[in-house]
Amino acid sequence: MPSSDNYESVVGKANAEIASFGGREKTLIDRFHHALHTTPALVPLIVLVSAIIVFGLALGSRFFSPFALTLILQQVQIVGIVAAAQSLVILTKGIDLSVGAIAVISSVVMGQFAFRYGLPPGLAVICGLVVGTAIGAVNGWLVAQMKLPPFIVTLGMWQIVLAANFLYSKNETIRSQEIAEQAPLLQIMGAKFEVGGAVFTLGVVFLVLLVAVLAFVLKHTAWGRHVYAVGDDPEAAELAGVNVKQTLISVYALAGLICAFAGWALIGRIGSVSPTSGQLLNIESITAVVIGGISLFGGRGSILGTFFGALIVGVFTLGLRLAGADAQWTFLLIGVLIIAAVAVDQWIRKVAA
């Protein structure tokens, strides 16, 4: 039988070996992966900064001017707002194909209520916001209460809202001049102001404030933690006391409200109320979300990453246009970025597991 001194010596050596193994020096790849895992917005930020540097060096002052850089913000403001709504849904492991249709029908309701029914513009805007929220809530109820797949629910709602949009508006466009004369409040999101040569719109300001508020809410409130928990593992979240159904309904309803604000901003952007506008917003919003590093498998990502994703699309679009490249190159590069973003997300999840 070993003496107590020998026993303590053996145990001490074992503990030292375990400590040495657990405290092994992390490689550069390990540190990089840890940074990506803890900061999902880091990848799109690196891509965004790299793209700005490359286009800036290639195009010089044409790209680096305050006007050109703020033009990117103006161009992505609608997609950015809709993508913020899409982010909330995808964080819960869902998807919303009806976001673009909700934005457009909300804008149509605002215009028709102001011009067809003669409501005050402020009340017409509120009606549009209510309609968008209601459609989102119906999506959430069907997903949470009826247990229907989000893809099928929102695909069907996209078709329903799209048809209702054309039937209700009778495919009529309310012209910019009419709105400016009788209901300028509908165009207020397009109002411009200049700061040191940079031109901003109220729609851009709304986008930035929306991203800041959602980032804070998702990170520092119980509701935000519930959103991530539902997306990561709804069964475990329910066992932990999270009201999964209520959380899902609230997420889809809030997404509908945000899309309605996007519809209001859309009127300011194009000047008119058109039932044919925003046809690709659903695809463009998903593109911004995926490039922004939010996982399609739910539970991981940040709203700031989505904002960077929308800016990446804007930078590539403007940069290639100023370079005189064919527009198809933009689609090609964006497609590559989408696949690369999903591949990176899979790599992060695999290594983290």
Side-chain angles (χ1 to χ4, degrees):
M1 185 172 180
S3 66
S4 61
D5 291 341
N6 290 338
Y7 175 76
E8 289 177 0
S9 177
V10 170
V11 171
K13 289 180 180 179
N15 288 336
E17 290 177 0
I18 293 172
S20 175
F21 177 77
R24 69 179 179 84
E25 186 177 352
K26 292 184 178 180
T27 65
L28 185 61
I29 296 296
D30 291 333
R31 293 174 181 174
F32 182 62
H33 169 260
H34 179 71
L36 296 182
H37 185 69
T38 56
T39 314
L42 186 59
V43 173
L45 178 60
I46 293 172
V47 174
L48 177 62
V49 172
S50 301
I52 291 175
I53 291 174
V54 169
F55 283 118
L57 293 175
L59 300 172
S61 59
R62 285 192 297 161
F63 183 82
F64 264 140
S65 67
F67 175 78
L69 292 176
T70 50
L71 180 61
I72 295 171
L73 282 171
Q74 292 182 41
Q75 290 177 336
V76 304
Q77 60 181 309
I78 310 301
V79 173
I81 295 171
V82 175
Q86 188 74 262
S87 298
L88 296 176
V89 176
I90 291 180
L91 281 173
T92 63
K93 205 184 295 187
I95 195 165
D96 194 343
L97 298 177
S98 65
V99 286
I102 293 175
V104 175
I105 199 170
S106 298
S107 69
V108 167
V109 166
M110 292 175 191
Q112 293 294 336
F113 275 40
F115 285 86
R116 183 185 296 181
Y117 307 127
L119 292 182
L123 185 56
V125 168
I126 292 175
C127 290
L129 297 178
V130 170
V131 167
T133 306
I135 297 173
V138 171
N139 281 338
W141 183 82
L142 291 172
V143 170
Q145 199 70 36
M146 302 300 291
K147 304 294 185 183
L148 299 179
F151 181 89
I152 301 302
V153 168
T154 58
L155 178 63
M157 188 61 73
W158 171 43
Q159 297 289 345
I160 293 170
V161 174
L162 202 61
N165 175 36
F166 286 108
L167 290 171
Y168 176 66
S169 67
K170 299 178 182 178
N171 206 16
E172 295 177 352
T173 297
I174 303 174
R175 294 179 300 171
S176 176
Q177 186 176 356
E178 294 179 75
I179 298 175
E181 292 174 355
Q182 301 178 43
L185 180 64
L186 298 183
Q187 296 177 331
I188 196 169
M189 287 285 204
K192 296 180 179 180
F193 61 95
E194 187 173 337
V195 179
V199 181
F200 298 91
T201 65
L202 291 183
V204 169
V205 174
F206 176 81
L207 169 61
V208 174
L209 290 176
L210 175 66
V211 170
V213 170
L214 288 179
F216 176 83
V217 169
L218 287 171
K219 188 173 183 180
H220 298 288
T221 68
W223 181 84
R225 290 189 290 273
H226 291 173
V227 170
Y228 280 102
V230 169
D232 188 48
D233 191 334
E235 288 78 14
E238 194 160 12
L239 290 174
V242 176
N243 190 328
V244 174
K245 292 181 180 179
Q246 183 178 332
T247 301
L248 284 173
I249 293 174
S250 66
V251 163
Y252 280 89
L254 179 57
L257 175 61
I258 294 172
C259 288
F261 272 106
W264 189 12
L266 185 62
I267 299 176
R269 177 64 180 164
I270 66 177
S272 61
V273 175
S274 173
T276 61
S277 59
Q279 297 297 317
L280 296 177
L281 281 175
N282 53 352
I283 301 299
E284 292 172 339
S285 67
I286 295 172
T287 299
V289 171
V290 173
I291 294 177
I294 290 185
S295 175
L296 290 174
F297 302 98
R300 200 185 74 83
S302 73
I303 200 75
L304 191 60
T306 293
F307 180 59
F308 293 151
L311 289 178
I312 288 170
V313 175
V315 167
F316 272 91
T317 302
L318 180 63
L320 291 173
R321 185 182 303 169
L322 291 175
D326 192 296
Q328 300 307 319
W329 281 102
T330 303
F331 294 110
L332 188 151
L333 291 174
I334 296 303
V336 170
L337 285 175
I338 291 173
I339 296 174
V342 174
V344 169
D345 175 63
Q346 290 283 64
W347 175 69
I348 291 174
R349 283 179 172 269
K350 183 178 180 181
V351 178

